[in-house]
């Protein structure tokens, strides 16, 4: 396929915008996870979440203002399960493509939801599919449907998998290679994912690379990770470690069709890892050196390639494995705290890791989307009290597929309780601020106290003292985009 060579890039997420803009000379392209910039503009129209998603116009304007090619790396349309993709995503995804005009787009060969109709549930984290031939069939059908829907070149990401290989499963390389060949699509080789898989006891990087159709690898991801309870997590929490960079320098020369090399990091970890703009600029320079090696293995000596090894995998066929539909149900019962218990849960120590990851994502989403309300609850009830509220909510409500919906669901849960004075008004204010940003229109919110004194106390890390009773309506306006302000 005739795709452009885009070079070295970085992922664009809420909270990274200013840092990327300051280090822009280090990057040839930007890759956006678009669902982080989607929301529903108003209240749920029928109580079942059927209102369509909208693009955050201000965020997309800021992204386009960077004047770099943009790739779309979706995190809301995973192709690894038997559950049909949510049709509510289609208009927003199409609008994203129309706005950004990516040369190709990518998604995860993972599970994201289970069930259909009223039984549809998000899992709260990207989960691994069962690696069977039936699962290959399912994923290929999903990819072909997306290719027909959008007519845009598509690549799937090689996912991280903390579960142990099950007897009868296909090796990682054969599983991913079969999908790519049969769906006639590209591969996004996430090198940190497959390195994490090796460190956690799955197939080695060497044998994965050896078993893939390398001419279908269009893109590579690099990231940093961290140890957790005996596992190495794909946390996107730091710069790529030296061992991973050394692997990249040996793998990239073997990729004749590599068109992009992208660094991923979560915004919060910039501070936690002590990283600044200079660190990102240096990272871009290192990746650019690695990028320059692409496709050179045909003239390299044999000592410059990865040493091959065989992967010993017990293969007894699909008959010993659950169907893709059953696997989705088993995964949900394993990790969703609101799901009923079952007699035969998945027997794998990594189930606890996935439950912790789901909890961390949900808690982080709420803290990011509702920072003032979160602070109010922490100040009034302490960390244990706040976590107890979250646990109660999670025991009653399955995860939501999108950040904005997760925050809205928790706000609705809190609004049903009389927990703290004016908490419902503060929640309405923070949700209105999100709506104003997304649709670029002012929103009106009512307070029965002095909102300025209330909010300033929380920002100062203090519980508000006695607040005079008022009846005021305030207007929440969208922030001015940085490129507009400077123009």
């Amino acid at each position: 396929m005739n795709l452009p060579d885009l070079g070295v890039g970085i992922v664009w997420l809420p909270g990274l915008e200013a840092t990327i803009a300051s280090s822009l000379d280090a990057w040839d392209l930007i890759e956006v996870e678009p669902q982080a910039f989607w929301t529903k503009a108003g209240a749920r129209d029928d109580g079942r979440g059927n209102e369509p998603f909208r693009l955050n116009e201000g965020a997309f304007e800021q992204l386009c203002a960077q004047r770099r090619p943009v790739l779309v790396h979706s995190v809301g349309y995973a192709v690894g399960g038997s559950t049909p993709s949510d049709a509510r995503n289609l208009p927003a995804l199409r609008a994203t493509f129309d706005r950004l005009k990516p040369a190709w787009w990518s998604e995860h060969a993972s599970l994201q939801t289970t069930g259909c109709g009223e039984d549809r549930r998000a899992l709260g984290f990207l989960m691994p599919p069962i690696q069977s031939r039936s699962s290959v069939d399912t994923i290929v059908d999903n990819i072909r449907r997306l290719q027909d829907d959008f007519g845009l070149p598509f690549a799937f990401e090689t996912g991280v998998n903390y579960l142990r290989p099950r007897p009868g499963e296909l090796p990682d390389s054969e599983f991913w290679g079969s999908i790519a060949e049969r769906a006639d699509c590209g591969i996004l080789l996430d090198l940190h994912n497959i390195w994490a898989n090796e460190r956690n006891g799955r197939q080695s990087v060497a044998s994965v690379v050896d078993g893939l159709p390398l001419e279908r690898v269009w893109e590579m991801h690099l990231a940093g990770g961290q140890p957790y309870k005996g596992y190495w997590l794909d946390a996107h929490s730091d710069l790529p470690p030296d061992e991973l960079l050394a692997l990249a320098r040996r793998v990239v020369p073997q990729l004749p069709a590599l068109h992009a090399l992208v660094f991923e990091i979560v915004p919060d970890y910039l501070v936690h890892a002590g990283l600044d703009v200079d660190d990102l600029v240096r990272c871009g320079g290192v990746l650019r050196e690695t990028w320059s090696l692409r496709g050179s293995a045909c003239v390299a000596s044999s000592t410059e390639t990865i040493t091959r090894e065989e992967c010993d995998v017990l293969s007894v066929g699909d008959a010993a494995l659950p169907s893709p539909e059953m696997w989705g149900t088993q995964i949900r019962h394993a990790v969703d705290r609101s799901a009923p218990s079952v007699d035969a849960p998945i027997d794998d120590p990594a189930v606890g890791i996935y439950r912790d990851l789901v909890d961390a994502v949900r808690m982080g989403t709420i803290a990011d989307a509702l920072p003032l309300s979160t602070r109010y609850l922490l100040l009034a009830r302490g960390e244990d009290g706040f976590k107890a509220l979250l646990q109660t909510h999670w025991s009653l409500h399955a995860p939501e597929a999108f950040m904005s919906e997760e925050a809205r669901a928790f706000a609705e849960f809190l609004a049903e309780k009389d927990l703290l004075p004016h908490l419902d008004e503060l929640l309405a204010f923070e949700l209105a601020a999100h709506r104003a940003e997304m649709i670029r229109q002012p929103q009106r919110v009512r307070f029965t106290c002095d909102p300025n004194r209330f909010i300033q106390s929380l920002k100062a890390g203090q519980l508000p003292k006695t607040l005079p009773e008022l009846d005021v309506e305030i207007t929440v306006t969208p922030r001015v985009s940085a490129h507009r302000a400077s123009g």
Side-chain angles (χ1 to χ4, degrees), residues 29 138 363 372 385 468-469 477:
L29 72 118
T138 296
M363 183 185 296
L372 293 173
E469 291 188 9
T477 58

Side-chain angles (χ1 to χ4, degrees), residues 30 73 107 162 164 211 321 360 372:
I30 294 170
H73 183 50
E107 246 297 358
Y162 302 120
R164 298 170 299 195
L321 298 171
L372 293 173

Side-chain angles (χ1 to χ4, degrees), residues 340-351:
S341 60
V342 291
D343 293 334
I346 296 174
D347 181 20
D348 194 298
V351 166

Side-chain angles (χ1 to χ4, degrees), residues 203-216:
Q203 190 176 357
S204 70
V205 172
S207 58
V208 168
V209 172
D210 194 38
L212 289 177
L214 298 183
E215 73 281 0
R216 292 189 178 274

Side-chain angles (χ1 to χ4, degrees), residues 97-144:
F97 295 150
D98 290 344
R99 181 73 59 85
L100 301 179
K101 296 180 171 48
W104 68 89
W105 72 290
S106 55
E107 246 297 358
H108 299 77
S110 306
L111 280 75
Q112 196 166 25
T113 57
T114 63
C116 297
E118 294 295 320
D119 294 326
R120 186 186 187 91
R121 297 290 185 273
L123 295 172
F125 199 80
L126 292 168
M127 301 293 174
I130 192 73
Q131 293 189 183
S132 65
R133 300 202 180 279
S134 296
S135 188
V136 170
D137 294 341
T138 296
I139 296 172
V140 168
D141 287 345
N142 291 338
I143 292 174
R144 287 174 175 168

Side-chain angles (χ1 to χ4, degrees), residues 257-268:
L258 186 67
H259 301 294
L261 177 61
V262 176
F263 169 56
E264 296 182 293
I265 190 164
V266 173
D268 288 347

Side-chain angles (χ1 to χ4, degrees), residues 390-441:
L390 289 173
Q391 292 290 340
T392 300
H393 171 60
W394 295 339
S395 70
L396 299 172
H397 301 279
E400 295 284 351
F402 294 90
M403 292 176 62
S404 58
E405 288 305 284
E406 185 69 43
R408 188 194 303 277
F410 186 58
E412 291 176 352
F413 164 76
L414 293 175
E416 296 171 355
K417 306 176 181 300
D418 187 17
L419 294 173
L420 295 170
H422 310 293
L423 176 60
D424 56 340
E425 297 165 3
L426 186 62
L427 290 164
F429 167 77
E430 294 199 281
L431 293 175
H434 283 289
R435 288 196 296 274
E437 282 296 301
M438 292 297 171
I439 65 174
R440 311 301 294 169
Q441 292 178 6

